Amino acid sequence: MNNAAKYVYIAFAAGFCSTSYAAESLTVTSWGGALQKHQSSAFMEPFAKASGIKVSQDEWSGELAKLRAMTESGSVVWDVIDVDPQSAEQACGQGLLEKLDYSKIVKPSSLVQGAVLECAVGVSSYATILAYNPAKLKNVPNTITDIFDTEKFPGKRTFHKSPVDTLEVALMADGVPPEKVYEVLETPEGVDRAFKKLDTIKKDIVWWEAGAQPPQLLKSGEAVIGLAWNGRVGDANKNEKAGLGIVWNGQIQGFDMWSIPKGSKNQDAAYKFIQYTLNTSNNAELSKYVDYGPTVTDALKNVSPEKLKDLPTAPENMKSFLVQNAEFWGLNGPELSARFSTWVSK
Protein backbone atom coordinates (compact mmCIF):
# COMPACT_ATOMS: atom_id res chain seq x y z
CA MET A 1 0.00 0.00 0.00
CA ASN A 2 1.55 3.37 -1.02
CA ASN A 3 1.44 6.43 1.23
CA ALA A 4 -1.53 8.01 -0.57
CA ALA A 5 -3.52 4.80 -0.21
CA LYS A 6 -2.59 4.62 3.47
CA TYR A 7 -3.91 8.13 4.08
CA VAL A 8 -7.17 7.32 2.30
CA TYR A 9 -7.55 4.13 4.35
CA ILE A 10 -6.81 5.90 7.64
CA ALA A 11 -9.28 8.69 6.85
CA PHE A 12 -11.96 6.16 5.90
CA ALA A 13 -11.37 4.12 9.05
CA ALA A 14 -11.48 7.20 11.27
CA GLY A 15 -14.74 8.29 9.68
CA PHE A 16 -16.22 4.82 10.07
CA CYS A 17 -15.27 4.64 13.75
CA SER A 18 -16.71 8.09 14.38
CA THR A 19 -19.99 7.17 12.67
CA SER A 20 -20.22 3.89 14.56
CA TYR A 21 -19.69 5.61 17.87
CA ALA A 22 -22.37 8.21 17.10
CA ALA A 23 -24.82 5.49 16.17
CA GLU A 24 -24.12 3.65 19.39
CA SER A 25 -24.84 6.47 21.82
CA LEU A 26 -27.73 8.77 22.63
CA THR A 27 -28.83 11.41 25.10
CA VAL A 28 -32.19 11.07 26.84
CA THR A 29 -33.55 14.23 28.43
CA SER A 30 -36.29 14.26 31.07
CA TRP A 31 -37.63 16.36 33.94
CA GLY A 32 -34.97 15.55 36.54
CA GLY A 33 -35.75 14.79 40.17
CA ALA A 34 -37.34 11.59 41.38
CA LEU A 35 -39.12 10.88 38.10
CA GLN A 36 -35.95 10.83 36.03
CA LYS A 37 -34.22 8.74 38.68
CA HIS A 38 -37.04 6.20 38.40
CA GLN A 39 -37.00 6.35 34.59
CA SER A 40 -33.28 5.69 34.68
CA SER A 41 -33.77 2.59 36.83
CA ALA A 42 -36.68 1.34 34.74
CA PHE A 43 -35.54 2.26 31.23
CA MET A 44 -32.22 3.99 30.60
CA GLU A 45 -29.90 1.70 32.57
CA PRO A 46 -31.49 -1.61 31.49
CA PHE A 47 -31.57 -0.47 27.86
CA ALA A 48 -27.89 0.48 27.91
CA LYS A 49 -27.01 -2.89 29.41
CA ALA A 50 -29.16 -4.87 26.97
CA SER A 51 -28.17 -2.97 23.83
CA GLY A 52 -24.60 -1.91 24.47
CA ILE A 53 -25.60 1.61 23.46
CA LYS A 54 -24.18 4.34 25.68
CA VAL A 55 -26.98 6.41 27.24
CA SER A 56 -26.23 9.89 28.56
CA GLN A 57 -28.86 11.95 30.36
CA ASP A 58 -29.80 15.60 30.59
CA GLU A 59 -32.61 17.57 32.22
CA TRP A 60 -34.98 20.27 31.06
CA SER A 61 -38.17 21.96 32.26
CA GLY A 62 -40.13 21.85 29.03
CA GLU A 63 -38.97 25.19 27.64
CA LEU A 64 -39.58 25.05 23.89
CA ALA A 65 -37.36 28.09 23.35
CA LYS A 66 -34.33 25.99 24.28
CA LEU A 67 -35.37 23.25 21.89
CA ARG A 68 -35.99 25.82 19.15
CA ALA A 69 -32.54 27.33 19.63
CA MET A 70 -30.97 23.89 19.20
CA THR A 71 -32.86 23.01 16.05
CA GLU A 72 -32.40 26.41 14.40
CA SER A 73 -28.67 26.42 15.10
CA GLY A 74 -28.24 22.83 13.93
CA SER A 75 -26.58 21.90 17.23
CA VAL A 76 -29.10 19.41 18.58
CA VAL A 77 -27.51 17.51 21.48
CA TRP A 78 -30.63 15.65 22.62
CA ASP A 79 -31.95 12.50 20.97
CA VAL A 80 -35.02 11.60 23.04
CA ILE A 81 -36.94 14.04 25.23
CA ASP A 82 -39.77 13.56 27.72
CA VAL A 83 -42.61 15.94 26.85
CA ASP A 84 -46.16 16.51 28.03
CA PRO A 85 -48.91 16.10 25.39
CA GLN A 86 -49.72 19.78 24.89
CA SER A 87 -46.05 20.77 24.53
CA ALA A 88 -45.56 17.90 22.08
CA GLU A 89 -48.37 19.21 19.90
CA GLN A 90 -47.04 22.76 19.98
CA ALA A 91 -43.47 21.68 19.24
CA CYS A 92 -44.64 19.38 16.46
CA GLY A 93 -46.58 22.20 14.84
CA GLN A 94 -43.51 24.42 15.02
CA GLY A 95 -41.33 21.82 13.32
CA LEU A 96 -39.18 21.17 16.38
CA LEU A 97 -39.82 17.42 16.54
CA GLU A 98 -39.46 14.51 14.16
CA LYS A 99 -42.67 12.87 12.97
CA LEU A 100 -42.49 9.40 14.43
CA ASP A 101 -42.30 6.28 12.32
CA TYR A 102 -44.46 3.93 14.39
CA SER A 103 -43.33 0.93 12.35
CA LYS A 104 -40.05 1.26 14.26
CA ILE A 105 -41.72 1.52 17.67
CA VAL A 106 -45.01 -0.20 18.39
CA LYS A 107 -48.44 -0.80 16.88
CA PRO A 108 -50.51 2.28 17.78
CA SER A 109 -53.50 0.01 18.42
CA SER A 110 -51.63 -1.60 21.32
CA LEU A 111 -51.53 1.69 23.26
CA VAL A 112 -54.15 3.26 25.51
CA GLN A 113 -56.31 6.13 24.34
CA GLY A 114 -54.41 9.40 23.99
CA ALA A 115 -50.91 7.89 23.91
CA VAL A 116 -50.43 8.21 20.14
CA LEU A 117 -49.48 11.57 18.63
CA GLU A 118 -47.77 12.42 15.36
CA CYS A 119 -44.54 13.53 17.04
CA ALA A 120 -44.78 11.87 20.46
CA VAL A 121 -45.72 8.55 22.02
CA GLY A 122 -46.85 8.00 25.59
CA VAL A 123 -44.57 5.81 27.70
CA SER A 124 -46.36 6.18 31.04
CA SER A 125 -49.67 7.50 32.27
CA TYR A 126 -50.33 9.69 35.29
CA ALA A 127 -53.53 11.33 36.44
CA THR A 128 -54.79 14.53 37.93
CA ILE A 129 -56.96 13.26 40.77
CA LEU A 130 -58.79 14.64 43.77
CA ALA A 131 -56.74 14.34 46.94
CA TYR A 132 -57.89 15.22 50.42
CA ASN A 133 -56.91 15.22 54.07
CA PRO A 134 -59.40 12.95 55.87
CA ALA A 135 -58.46 14.45 59.22
CA LYS A 136 -59.76 17.83 58.06
CA LEU A 137 -63.05 16.74 56.51
CA LYS A 138 -66.26 15.39 58.03
CA ASN A 139 -67.42 13.95 54.71
CA VAL A 140 -65.61 11.74 52.22
CA PRO A 141 -65.52 13.05 48.63
CA ASN A 142 -66.33 10.60 45.85
CA THR A 143 -65.72 12.52 42.62
CA ILE A 144 -63.19 15.05 41.35
CA THR A 145 -65.91 17.68 41.00
CA ASP A 146 -66.47 17.66 44.76
CA ILE A 147 -63.69 20.22 44.91
CA PHE A 148 -66.34 22.80 43.98
CA ASP A 149 -68.67 21.82 46.82
CA THR A 150 -67.72 24.28 49.55
CA GLU A 151 -70.74 23.49 51.70
CA LYS A 152 -70.07 19.78 52.08
CA PHE A 153 -66.28 20.23 52.02
CA PRO A 154 -65.52 23.63 53.59
CA GLY A 155 -61.99 25.00 53.63
CA LYS A 156 -59.25 25.96 51.22
CA ARG A 157 -58.79 23.92 48.08
CA THR A 158 -55.65 23.73 45.99
CA PHE A 159 -55.41 23.87 42.19
CA HIS A 160 -52.54 23.77 39.72
CA LYS A 161 -51.82 27.29 38.51
CA SER A 162 -52.60 26.29 34.94
CA PRO A 163 -55.70 26.19 32.75
CA VAL A 164 -54.91 22.58 31.82
CA ASP A 165 -57.16 20.25 33.85
CA THR A 166 -58.54 23.22 35.80
CA LEU A 167 -60.94 24.27 33.05
CA GLU A 168 -61.95 20.67 32.37
CA VAL A 169 -62.85 20.04 36.02
CA ALA A 170 -64.76 23.33 36.15
CA LEU A 171 -66.94 22.28 33.23
CA MET A 172 -67.54 18.80 34.63
CA ALA A 173 -68.53 20.41 37.93
CA ASP A 174 -70.96 22.57 35.97
CA GLY A 175 -72.67 19.49 34.58
CA VAL A 176 -70.81 18.81 31.33
CA PRO A 177 -70.29 15.05 30.75
CA PRO A 178 -66.61 14.08 30.36
CA GLU A 179 -67.09 13.05 26.73
CA LYS A 180 -68.44 16.53 25.90
CA VAL A 181 -65.88 18.63 27.78
CA TYR A 182 -63.63 19.53 24.86
CA GLU A 183 -66.54 20.06 22.53
CA VAL A 184 -67.88 22.68 24.95
CA LEU A 185 -64.43 24.13 25.71
CA GLU A 186 -63.83 24.74 22.00
CA THR A 187 -66.51 27.44 22.04
CA PRO A 188 -66.18 30.96 23.49
CA GLU A 189 -69.33 30.31 25.52
CA GLY A 190 -67.78 27.14 26.95
CA VAL A 191 -64.64 28.98 28.03
CA ASP A 192 -66.74 31.69 29.67
CA ARG A 193 -68.74 28.97 31.41
CA ALA A 194 -65.59 27.39 32.86
CA PHE A 195 -64.26 30.68 34.21
CA LYS A 196 -67.68 31.57 35.64
CA LYS A 197 -67.64 28.28 37.55
CA LEU A 198 -64.14 29.00 38.83
CA ASP A 199 -65.34 32.40 40.04
CA THR A 200 -67.59 30.63 42.55
CA ILE A 201 -64.61 29.30 44.55
CA LYS A 202 -61.82 31.68 43.58
CA LYS A 203 -61.49 33.15 47.08
CA ASP A 204 -60.95 29.64 48.49
CA ILE A 205 -58.18 28.58 46.08
CA VAL A 206 -54.55 28.05 47.08
CA TRP A 207 -52.47 27.73 43.90
CA TRP A 208 -49.61 25.28 43.41
CA GLU A 209 -46.95 25.31 40.69
CA ALA A 210 -44.74 22.32 41.51
CA GLY A 211 -46.04 18.76 41.81
CA ALA A 212 -44.61 18.28 45.30
CA GLN A 213 -46.67 21.16 46.70
CA PRO A 214 -50.24 19.79 46.92
CA PRO A 215 -49.39 16.88 49.25
CA GLN A 216 -47.57 19.34 51.51
CA LEU A 217 -50.46 21.81 51.46
CA LEU A 218 -52.88 19.02 52.35
CA LYS A 219 -50.66 17.56 55.07
CA SER A 220 -50.20 20.95 56.72
CA GLY A 221 -53.90 21.79 56.55
CA GLU A 222 -53.33 24.89 54.40
CA ALA A 223 -55.80 23.17 52.07
CA VAL A 224 -58.22 20.37 52.86
CA ILE A 225 -58.93 19.16 49.35
CA GLY A 226 -57.27 19.67 45.98
CA LEU A 227 -56.26 18.60 42.51
CA ALA A 228 -52.92 16.81 42.45
CA TRP A 229 -50.87 14.36 40.42
CA ASN A 230 -51.50 10.85 41.65
CA GLY A 231 -47.82 9.87 41.68
CA ARG A 232 -46.94 12.70 44.04
CA VAL A 233 -49.75 11.84 46.45
CA GLY A 234 -48.88 8.14 46.33
CA ASP A 235 -45.23 8.95 47.06
CA ALA A 236 -46.19 11.17 50.01
CA ASN A 237 -48.40 8.42 51.43
CA LYS A 238 -45.72 5.75 51.08
CA ASN A 239 -42.64 7.69 52.09
CA GLU A 240 -43.98 10.41 54.37
CA LYS A 241 -46.97 8.62 55.91
CA ALA A 242 -49.13 11.52 54.73
CA GLY A 243 -52.37 9.56 55.05
CA LEU A 244 -54.05 11.43 52.17
CA GLY A 245 -57.11 10.11 50.40
CA ILE A 246 -57.32 9.71 46.62
CA VAL A 247 -60.50 9.88 44.55
CA TRP A 248 -60.16 8.31 41.09
CA ASN A 249 -63.69 9.05 39.94
CA GLY A 250 -63.40 11.74 37.25
CA GLN A 251 -59.60 11.50 36.97
CA ILE A 252 -57.92 13.29 34.05
CA GLN A 253 -55.22 11.17 32.45
CA GLY A 254 -52.04 12.68 31.07
CA PHE A 255 -48.84 11.16 29.74
CA ASP A 256 -45.10 11.32 29.83
CA MET A 257 -44.26 11.05 26.15
CA TRP A 258 -41.08 10.39 24.19
CA SER A 259 -40.22 12.63 21.26
CA ILE A 260 -37.21 12.89 18.98
CA PRO A 261 -35.96 16.46 18.45
CA LYS A 262 -35.70 17.58 14.84
CA GLY A 263 -32.11 17.09 13.76
CA SER A 264 -31.19 14.44 16.34
CA LYS A 265 -27.81 12.96 15.40
CA ASN A 266 -28.65 9.49 16.72
CA GLN A 267 -32.12 8.70 15.46
CA ASP A 268 -31.53 4.98 15.00
CA ALA A 269 -30.49 4.63 18.63
CA ALA A 270 -33.38 6.88 19.67
CA TYR A 271 -35.90 4.60 17.96
CA LYS A 272 -34.30 1.54 19.55
CA PHE A 273 -34.61 3.13 22.99
CA ILE A 274 -38.24 4.16 22.54
CA GLN A 275 -39.14 0.74 21.16
CA TYR A 276 -37.47 -0.89 24.17
CA THR A 277 -39.51 1.14 26.65
CA LEU A 278 -42.74 0.24 24.82
CA ASN A 279 -42.04 -3.45 24.64
CA THR A 280 -44.77 -5.31 26.53
CA SER A 281 -42.16 -6.90 28.80
CA ASN A 282 -40.59 -3.54 29.72
CA ASN A 283 -43.32 -0.91 29.67
CA ALA A 284 -44.61 -1.63 33.19
CA GLU A 285 -41.15 -1.42 34.80
CA LEU A 286 -41.64 2.23 35.79
CA SER A 287 -44.72 1.23 37.80
CA LYS A 288 -42.41 -0.56 40.23
CA TYR A 289 -40.94 2.78 41.28
CA VAL A 290 -43.79 5.31 40.95
CA ASP A 291 -47.58 5.10 40.63
CA TYR A 292 -47.58 5.70 36.87
CA GLY A 293 -49.41 3.25 34.64
CA PRO A 294 -48.08 1.54 31.51
CA THR A 295 -49.42 2.80 28.19
CA VAL A 296 -49.16 -0.59 26.47
CA THR A 297 -52.46 -2.27 27.25
CA ASP A 298 -51.02 -5.78 27.50
CA ALA A 299 -48.31 -4.58 29.90
CA LEU A 300 -50.89 -4.33 32.68
CA LYS A 301 -50.59 -8.10 33.10
CA ASN A 302 -47.03 -7.52 34.32
CA VAL A 303 -48.21 -5.36 37.22
CA SER A 304 -48.89 -7.02 40.56
CA PRO A 305 -52.47 -6.76 41.92
CA GLU A 306 -51.18 -4.79 44.92
CA LYS A 307 -49.58 -2.20 42.65
CA LEU A 308 -52.33 -2.13 40.05
CA LYS A 309 -54.86 -0.56 42.41
CA ASP A 310 -52.65 2.56 42.65
CA LEU A 311 -52.35 3.13 38.89
CA PRO A 312 -54.45 5.44 36.68
CA THR A 313 -54.88 2.77 34.02
CA ALA A 314 -56.19 0.09 36.39
CA PRO A 315 -59.66 -0.92 35.13
CA GLU A 316 -61.30 -0.19 38.51
CA ASN A 317 -59.86 3.36 38.44
CA MET A 318 -61.17 4.11 34.95
CA LYS A 319 -64.91 3.84 35.52
CA SER A 320 -65.18 7.59 34.96
CA PHE A 321 -62.24 9.42 33.45
CA LEU A 322 -61.15 12.00 30.91
CA VAL A 323 -58.06 11.87 28.73
CA GLN A 324 -56.26 15.16 28.17
CA ASN A 325 -56.86 16.33 24.61
CA ALA A 326 -53.35 17.14 23.39
CA GLU A 327 -54.56 18.54 20.06
CA PHE A 328 -56.92 20.94 21.83
CA TRP A 329 -54.23 22.26 24.16
CA GLY A 330 -51.64 22.41 21.40
CA LEU A 331 -53.93 24.70 19.45
CA ASN A 332 -55.57 26.71 22.24
CA GLY A 333 -53.00 26.55 25.04
CA PRO A 334 -51.28 29.92 24.51
CA GLU A 335 -54.54 31.88 24.29
CA LEU A 336 -56.17 30.14 27.26
CA SER A 337 -53.00 30.41 29.34
CA ALA A 338 -52.95 34.16 28.76
CA ARG A 339 -56.60 34.50 29.78
CA PHE A 340 -56.06 32.26 32.81
CA SER A 341 -53.07 34.31 34.01
CA THR A 342 -55.11 37.50 33.71
CA TRP A 343 -58.00 35.91 35.62
CA VAL A 344 -55.73 34.67 38.43
CA SER A 345 -54.14 38.09 38.86
CA LYS A 346 -57.45 39.96 39.21
Side-chain angles (χ1 to χ4, degrees):
M1 184 182 293
N2 60 34
N3 287 339
K6 286 181 180 178
Y7 292 141
V8 170
Y9 174 79
I10 292 169
F12 172 79
F16 178 78
C17 290
S18 175
T19 302
S20 296
Y21 177 79
E24 295 300 314
S25 65
L26 81 157
T27 298
V28 179
T29 298
S30 188
W31 306 99
L35 174 60
Q36 187 159 341
K37 179 182 177 181
H38 297 327
Q39 288 175 326
S40 184
S41 297
F43 298 137
M44 284 78 126
E45 294 170 20
F47 170 75
K49 185 175 181 179
S51 67
I53 295 174
K54 180 182 177 183
V55 179
S56 301
Q57 296 186 46
D58 201 355
E59 300 176 11
W60 79 323
S61 56
E63 60 275 40
L64 295 187
K66 187 171 184 178
L67 183 61
R68 186 179 301 109
M70 281 190 189
T71 56
E72 290 180 352
S73 67
S75 57
V76 178
V77 297
W78 298 337
D79 302 301
V80 177
I81 57 175
D82 187 345
V83 292
D84 60 62
Q86 54 269 26
S87 296
E89 283 296 289
Q90 290 175 21
C92 189
Q94 295 172 26
L96 304 180
L97 301 174
E98 297 286 346
K99 294 182 179 180
L100 295 179
D101 180 354
Y102 276 86
S103 68
K104 297 180 180 179
I105 304 171
V106 68
K107 288 183 179 179
S109 60
S110 69
L111 300 174
V112 298
Q113 178 188 350
V116 178
L117 300 179
E118 187 174 32
C119 296
V121 59
V123 67
S124 60
S125 173
Y126 64 88
T128 294
I129 48 84
L130 184 70
Y132 62 97
N133 186 336
K136 302 293 183 179
L137 294 176
K138 293 182 179 179
N139 300 303
V140 177
N142 58 31
T143 175
I144 198 169
T145 56
D146 280 340
I147 195 170
F148 280 86
D149 191 340
T150 55
E151 290 187 11
K152 195 172 183 180
F153 308 100
K156 294 292 185 180
R157 39 262 294 131
T158 185
F159 280 79
H160 189 194
K161 202 173 186 179
S162 166
V164 181
D165 296 343
T166 303
L167 297 183
E168 290 95 323
V169 174
L171 285 179
M172 288 192 288
D174 204 44
V176 179
E179 65 273 14
K180 296 288 186 181
V181 164
Y182 289 107
E183 181 181 325
V184 173
L185 203 52
E186 283 177 343
T187 67
E189 296 80 11
V191 174
D192 290 343
R193 183 176 173 181
F195 278 101
K196 186 177 180 180
K197 186 66 176 178
L198 284 168
D199 282 334
T200 65
I201 61 168
K202 186 176 182 180
K203 63 181 177 59
D204 297 313
I205 295 177
V206 178
W207 299 107
W208 60 268
E209 298 184 65
Q213 288 178 290
Q216 298 305 318
L217 291 168
L218 293 170
K219 276 179 60 181
S220 68
E222 293 176 72
V224 299
I225 194 170
L227 301 186
W229 293 328
N230 77 287
R232 294 289 191 168
V233 178
D235 185 71
N237 282 342
K238 291 179 179 67
N239 299 320
E240 302 171 25
K241 309 300 181 185
L244 303 177
I246 292 178
V247 176
W248 291 102
N249 187 15
Q251 62 153 307
I252 301 178
Q253 289 187 4
F255 301 95
D256 277 290
M257 311 191 86
W258 295 134
S259 288
I260 300 175
K262 193 78 171 181
S264 158
K265 306 295 192 299
N266 303 299
Q267 288 191 33
D268 287 343
Y271 271 111
K272 289 177 183 176
F273 172 75
I274 296 173
Q275 191 280 330
Y276 175 89
T277 67
L278 291 169
N279 183 288
T280 302
S281 300
N282 303 326
N283 186 232
E285 286 298 300
L286 186 64
S287 300
K288 294 178 179 178
Y289 303 94
V290 64
D291 293 343
Y292 283 12
T295 54
V296 177
T297 306
D298 286 347
L300 278 174
K301 66 186 179 184
N302 296 323
V303 180
S304 69
E306 285 184 9
K307 187 67 178 179
L308 188 61
K309 63 181 176 58
D310 296 326
L311 304 184
T313 45
E316 61 268 29
N317 294 336
M318 295 177 65
K319 293 175 181 177
S320 176
F321 71 101
L322 177 69
V323 176
Q324 277 182 7
N325 188 317
E327 291 84 358
F328 173 85
W329 284 110
L331 181 64
N332 300 288
E335 180 182 348
L336 289 177
S337 292
R339 177 169 176 177
F340 183 79
S341 295
T342 299
W343 177 81
V344 169
S345 65
K346 286 183 179 179

